[in-house]
Amino acid sequence: MKVFATYNIKGGVGKTSTAVNLAYLAARDGQRTLLWDLDPQGAATFLFRIRPRVKGGGKALVQGRRPLEDAIKGTDYDGLDLLPADFTYRNMDLALDAAKKPTRRIARLLAPLAADYDVVFLDCPPSMSLVSENVLEATNTLLVPLIPTTLSLRTFDQLTEFVASLDGRRPALLGFFSMVDGRKRLHREIVERLPTQRPDIATTAIPALSVVEQMAVRRAPLATFAPRSPACERYEQLWAQAQQLTP
Amino acid sequence: MIDPEQKVAVALTIDVYSASHRSGSAGVKFRNGCGVLDRHEFVAQGEVPSPFAAVVSALRSRFTIEEGAPRTVRRTWLDTFDWRVHRAGLTLEHLTDAGRTELLLSSPSGLRISGESGGSTEPGRADRLGAGPISDRLAPIVGARALLAVAESEGTLRDARLTNQDGKTVVRISVEDGFTATALAPRVTLTPVRGYGREAKRARRLLASVPGFEPTSESRLDAALAAGGRHAGDYTGKVDISLDGSAPASVALAAVLLRILDMLEANVDGVVRDLDTEFLHDLRISVRRTRSGLTLAGDSLPVGLAARFAVEFKWLGDLTTPVRDLDVYLSGLDATIGESGEGEALQPFRRYLARRRRAERRRLLAGLRSRRFATLTGDWRAALLDVSDHSVTDEPTAADLAAARITRGYRRIVKRGSAITSASPAEDLHALRKRCKQLRYLMEYFASLHDPGSHHKVIKELKSLQDCLGRFQDSQIQREAITALADQMAVEQAVPAPTLLAMGKLSAGLESRQRDARGEFAGRFNRFASAKTARMITALPVRAAS
């Protein structure tokens, strides 16, 4: 079982769109896939038309009172399941903090699912918290969407340093430019230059196109309604790169 | 203390996983992500004018329904002649759905692997399926056997998604009807979506109320087989016949020989069509089983019968030998080519063998189409049926015959084997091997009269000895064959030097294999000839009290 996470300390950078589209592509290719919407805002859950509610809330899951598999819902797509968001996830840090080995709790919760899923995606809330430390512990590859600006690159560097400072297993990091506005010179320059200089930034960039925003209107992954759109093609390329990076 | 919410969760889980057991509606497990859920099926009993409309109408009261377009679906189920896929608990289906084809391997426990079909509905050998998880799974199960179409259906399939207020699919329904190739009843399938057990249960209740539909546990394959008058596992290569130990010996023997004749005849078509090499192998086993029966117990049959048919079955055995030998050389050669890396050099030899096989097959087919073969099988059946009708009451019982002949067969092997030394010629081991085969067949005939535990133990020891003798003899025959074939090849065509060298290496490899088998013989024979095995032979018959 390979675990991918979409993570950035900032919100609104394309984490959920990436997690939903890549999870769909993984399932479409025949991999048994689970997406865990860890963000209490529940955007991924909304996109799959599933109600953002987990009985017992995040606390029951973290404490192991309710097995993860009991909370899983089938999506409308073959091979793709969702562990929904719940508003109580906003307090997940507290529940994690009370657990033994608090930074490894999510990894331990996922372990029993290894026989049933080939791929797990974690769609993370935008923060630097105990949840994100758990995600770093549980993940093989961390996918980091970046707006092509100097400040967001600085944040990526901080994240890289933080991951390097971790003891034990460290996830592979793959930054990629997201919400790229081709009309902005700065965006164009950064997207062209950076991936050639930094191997940890993907050559694939996701454009800021209205078709991506349409996902929230149609409540469906991009490939189901615009499979030949440039944005969808980029997600396909990004998924290929992410898999190559993941041993 | 139980958390009330946890209690609800547990109740819901039970609802999804065991709803079928409570309702009596049979569910077929299928895997959905990390869970195995029950898929429920219903079939029409009698005429239902418009099955899809009837189903949708019943469900519309509680669900919003997204109706799919009708499409033509053709299914061809594949298995080997001896049902290896079925016996492994699997179902292999070639599916054409709206023009798209795929292979589907599934099991009642929830396995579901789909793969590319390669186009043909009858792919033949598993290694022609193309690399992938389906062929990985099937290759060791199917072995040398061909995958053949065992049943088919063609009908119209229409899906419907039941959705909730958010437009989320909570249950899937499909209705298949309008069958053309095989007369099947319309079938409704309810597929739950993980986490929506309550909705599935509600939909199932509504479906159960549709007039004319009943829950079914019969799979599509079983229904399609039944429509053609068949059932899964209707052929086996085993003499699985239950005998009455107190029946007259001739009647029991005739029943066994009739069963063997059925198997012989069942394999003729596969031999003629050359579907795979195992048809001929099984046909030859039937011939050998019959000949062994005639040799070891033929005196129980009416006077003259065994002698008359022994000649005919020897003819049939001899008729089939050349092609079988070439099949063995060819498959052995393919294995050697794979291991030795002499593939290129051995290709002329392989082509030569394949040509010889084609020629020998022509002779074999002429024999199987001859009047002599038709008379042999027809007269043999008539004679055996006649024995069953005219048995003599004062003859020994089946149990007496079994005990006497198996004990005699065992003693003869012990006597013959004890005389074998390291200096004995290969023919002596070959003769012993034949005796072992005969005893094995006798054991099979009368297995139903034996204590299963003792039977199993004797067979295990006998098989161990047979395997060793088999390896010795096969290596000997193949070595002789390579020498003879090399000579023939040289007469008929120019043989490249690398080919001759590679054949020499093959022969050397076989000689070493033969030496190993000879080295193992003494140990295996001594175990078989031991007092312990002799006691097991005595313990074979089921005691009257049990």
Side-chain angles (χ1 to χ4, degrees):
Chain A
M1 185 173 77
K2 289 172 184 170
V3 183
F4 297 84
T6 50
Y7 174 74
N8 194 316
I9 198 165
K10 284 161 68 69
V13 295
K15 289 189 295 293
T16 296
S17 303
T18 304
V20 166
N21 285 319
L22 266 46
Y24 175 83
L25 294 175
R28 185 205 59 187
D29 293 346
Q31 306 198 66
R32 297 165 302 164
T33 306
L34 174 71
L35 194 162
W36 188 355
D37 186 358
L38 283 163
D39 187 343
Q41 295 175 86
T45 305
F46 173 82
L47 285 178
F48 285 112
R49 300 170 183 265
I50 291 170
R51 286 172 201 170
R53 171 148 168 71
V54 171
K55 288 199 171 64
K59 195 174 171 186
L61 294 181
V62 168
Q63 292 178 346
R65 281 189 289 118
R66 180 166 164 79
L68 248 46
E69 53 261 43
D70 282 3
I72 292 169
K73 299 274 185 184
T75 70
D76 286 8
Y77 311 103
D78 278 347
L80 176 54
D81 288 348
L82 180 92
L83 186 50
D86 188 283
F87 198 53
T88 60
Y89 285 3
R90 70 190 189 282
N91 300 322
M92 200 182 259
D93 271 9
L94 296 174
L96 287 168
D97 197 35
K100 278 186 199 165
K101 296 187 180 167
T103 60
R104 292 192 189 160
R105 190 69 200 141
I106 286 181
R108 288 189 59 147
L109 290 172
L110 288 174
L113 301 180
D116 301 311
Y117 290 102
D118 303 311
V119 174
V120 171
F121 278 90
L122 303 174
D123 186 21
C124 302
S127 66
M128 178 62 91
S129 62
L130 199 46
V131 174
S132 33
E133 280 192 60
N134 263 271
V135 167
L136 294 177
E137 284 274 359
T139 302
N140 297 93
T141 300
L142 199 65
L143 301 165
V144 187
L146 304 165
I147 307 285
T149 62
T150 310
L151 281 178
S152 75
L153 285 168
R154 191 172 161 270
T155 314
F156 184 54
D157 287 339
Q158 286 172 335
L159 177 65
T160 308
E161 278 172 31
F162 178 68
V163 169
S165 73
L166 290 175
D167 294 332
R169 205 183 71 155
R170 294 174 199 139
L173 241 67
L174 183 66
F176 63 95
F177 290 114
S178 171
M179 308 183 84
V180 177
D181 186 345
R183 294 167 305 180
K184 293 182 179 168
R185 206 177 78 186
L186 181 66
H187 277 209
R188 287 200 306 272
E189 279 177 8
I190 292 179
V191 166
E192 275 172 27
R193 185 169 44 84
L194 258 288
T196 60
Q197 296 172 350
R198 298 196 38 173
D200 56 347
I201 295 184
T203 49
T204 301
I206 310 295
L209 294 174
S210 62
V211 73
V212 181
E213 289 165 16
Q214 279 287 315
M215 285 173 63
V217 179
R218 294 177 180 257
R219 299 180 75 177
L222 205 47
T224 64
F225 65 90
R228 287 184 189 82
S229 64
C232 190
E233 282 172 15
R234 297 295 177 87
Y235 279 120
E236 297 255 17
Q237 290 163 9
L238 180 63
W239 178 224
Q241 281 183 278
Q243 287 181 96
Q244 271 176 10
L245 188 72
T246 311
Chain B
M1 204 176 89
I2 298 174
D3 177 339
E5 283 191 307
Q6 188 191 14
K7 211 168 156 186
V8 173
V10 170
L12 267 176
T13 310
I14 291 167
D15 175 44
V16 175
Y17 288 96
S18 63
S20 61
H21 308 296
R22 288 205 301 272
S23 69
S25 153
V28 177
K29 301 237 178 291
F30 77 102
R31 186 162 278 277
N32 177 319
C34 85
V36 176
L37 308 179
D38 281 331
R39 173 182 283 146
H40 292 269
E41 303 211 306
F42 300 79
V43 288
Q45 310 289 313
E47 196 71 20
V48 177
S50 181
F52 186 78
V55 165
V56 167
S57 156
L59 295 166
R60 208 180 282 288
S61 60
R62 300 298 293 268
F63 294 100
T64 304
I65 301 175
E66 303 267 346
E67 296 177 21
R71 56 195 203 268
T72 300
V73 169
R74 196 164 52 245
R75 303 170 195 273
T76 305
W77 287 274
L78 303 166
D79 208 326
T80 63
F81 186 65
D82 53 358
W83 298 97
R84 293 183 185 193
V85 179
H86 164 73
R87 282 193 278 126
L90 299 168
T91 302
L92 180 64
E93 191 179 336
H94 181 281
L95 183 71
T96 306
D97 185 345
R100 200 172 145 259
T101 61
E102 64 173 346
L103 270 179
L104 199 60
L105 184 68
S106 58
S107 80
S109 60
L111 172 88
R112 194 176 164 90
I113 311 174
S114 60
E116 286 181 27
S117 72
S120 169
T121 50
E122 266 197 4
R125 282 180 50 157
D127 56 11
R128 291 194 200 125
L129 286 175
I134 292 186
S135 67
D136 290 350
R137 185 95 184 205
L138 283 180
I141 294 167
V142 169
R145 296 237 62 156
L147 288 164
L148 308 168
V150 292
E152 59 180 358
S153 78
E154 183 171 336
T156 304
L157 186 76
R158 199 161 176 196
D159 294 325
R161 293 190 302 122
L162 313 191
T163 59
N164 62 14
Q165 301 95 307
D166 300 315
K168 167 83 183 78
T169 307
V170 290
V171 180
R172 288 191 172 89
I173 299 287
S174 70
V175 179
E176 196 170 357
D177 67 338
F179 293 102
T180 51
T182 311
L184 294 171
R187 177 176 286 255
V188 180
T189 306
L190 180 156
T191 308
V193 174
R194 185 173 179 77
Y196 296 91
R198 255 190 303 207
E199 288 83 347
K201 191 176 171 187
R202 193 177 302 145
R204 192 158 48 81
R205 279 209 197 109
L206 292 169
L207 281 180
S209 70
V210 179
F213 279 98
E214 291 292 331
T216 183
S217 58
E218 189 182 43
S219 70
R220 276 193 169 83
L221 168 59
D222 287 340
L225 284 168
R230 298 191 65 184
H231 64 269
D234 58 9
Y235 172 86
T236 102
K238 292 196 172 116
V239 190
D240 48 358
I241 183 166
S242 181
L243 296 174
D244 172 7
S246 64
S250 63
V251 173
L253 186 62
V256 170
L257 291 168
L258 269 172
R259 164 86 186 101
I260 296 168
L261 178 60
D262 288 342
M263 287 192 282
L264 187 155
E265 290 185 326
N267 281 289
V268 172
D269 182 55
V271 173
V272 171
R273 293 164 63 199
D274 204 13
L275 295 173
D276 65 43
T277 57
E278 300 310 286
F279 284 96
L280 182 61
H281 184 46
D282 280 9
L283 187 147
R284 281 170 58 78
I285 289 175
S286 295
V287 172
R288 280 205 301 267
R289 280 172 169 158
T290 306
R291 291 182 68 195
S292 294
L294 293 176
T295 306
L296 300 174
D299 56 346
S300 307
L301 296 172
V303 179
L305 197 62
R308 178 187 155 202
F309 281 96
V311 176
E312 291 305 285
F313 277 104
K314 178 173 186 322
W315 164 76
L316 183 55
D318 292 346
L319 177 71
T320 58
T321 300
V323 176
R324 176 61 193 169
D325 283 352
L326 286 159
D327 282 343
V328 172
Y329 305 152
L330 276 164
S331 79
L333 187 64
D334 287 343
T336 313
I337 285 173
E339 288 163 14
S340 69
E342 300 275 359
E344 198 57 37
L346 286 168
Q347 278 312 319
F349 184 44
R350 198 188 189 293
R351 282 196 294 273
Y352 175 75
L353 289 178
R355 204 166 54 242
R356 283 282 305 270
R357 183 178 185 274
R358 281 195 294 276
E360 290 297 346
R361 253 186 65 77
R362 280 195 290 276
R363 274 189 273 279
L364 168 64
L365 294 200
L368 291 177
R369 286 170 179 150
S370 69
R371 181 182 294 273
R372 186 174 182 180
F373 178 69
T375 307
L376 160 60
T377 51
D379 286 3
W380 181 231
R381 183 174 294 280
L384 293 173
L385 290 171
D386 197 48
V387 171
S388 305
D389 293 342
H390 300 97
S391 66
V392 186
T393 45
D394 61 352
E395 65 177 302
T397 64
D400 293 341
L401 178 74
R405 299 303 157 91
I406 286 170
T407 307
R408 190 170 75 184
Y410 174 72
R411 284 188 189 141
R412 282 182 176 172
I413 291 171
V414 172
K415 188 175 171 193
R416 204 176 264 269
S418 304
I420 289 176
T421 65
S422 55
S424 299
E427 293 79 48
D428 288 4
L429 280 96
H430 180 45
L432 183 69
R433 185 190 181 199
K434 283 207 265 188
R435 293 279 179 195
C436 288
K437 267 189 183 172
Q438 288 176 343
L439 178 64
R440 180 88 173 266
Y441 293 143
L442 263 185
M443 295 277 297
E444 282 176 5
Y445 296 171
F446 300 117
S448 62
L449 305 178
H450 290 165
D451 167 67
S454 305
H455 182 85
H456 178 74
K457 284 178 196 160
V458 173
I459 290 285
K460 195 178 153 200
E461 292 301 335
L462 181 56
K463 193 168 174 300
S464 161
L465 180 59
Q466 279 185 286
D467 286 348
C468 172
L469 290 167
R471 259 182 295 131
F472 178 84
Q473 179 68 10
D474 289 348
S475 306
Q476 169 79 15
I477 288 176
Q478 286 191 42
R479 229 155 42 93
E480 288 169 4
I482 286 172
T483 311
L485 289 164
D487 289 347
Q488 281 171 359
M489 261 179 97
V491 171
E492 292 172 26
Q493 64 186 67
V495 186
T499 303
L500 281 177
L501 282 173
M503 288 168 76
K505 272 194 199 172
L506 271 186
S507 186
L510 288 164
E511 194 176 352
S512 143
R513 208 169 109 95
Q514 194 179 9
R515 261 199 313 275
D516 291 346
R518 181 87 187 224
E520 287 171 29
F521 170 74
R524 296 201 186 199
F525 175 75
N526 288 339
R527 212 168 43 240
F528 185 72
S530 68
K532 191 176 163 196
T533 310
R535 276 197 301 278
M536 286 193 274
I537 293 279
T538 318
L540 277 174
V542 174
R543 302 279 168 236
S546 63

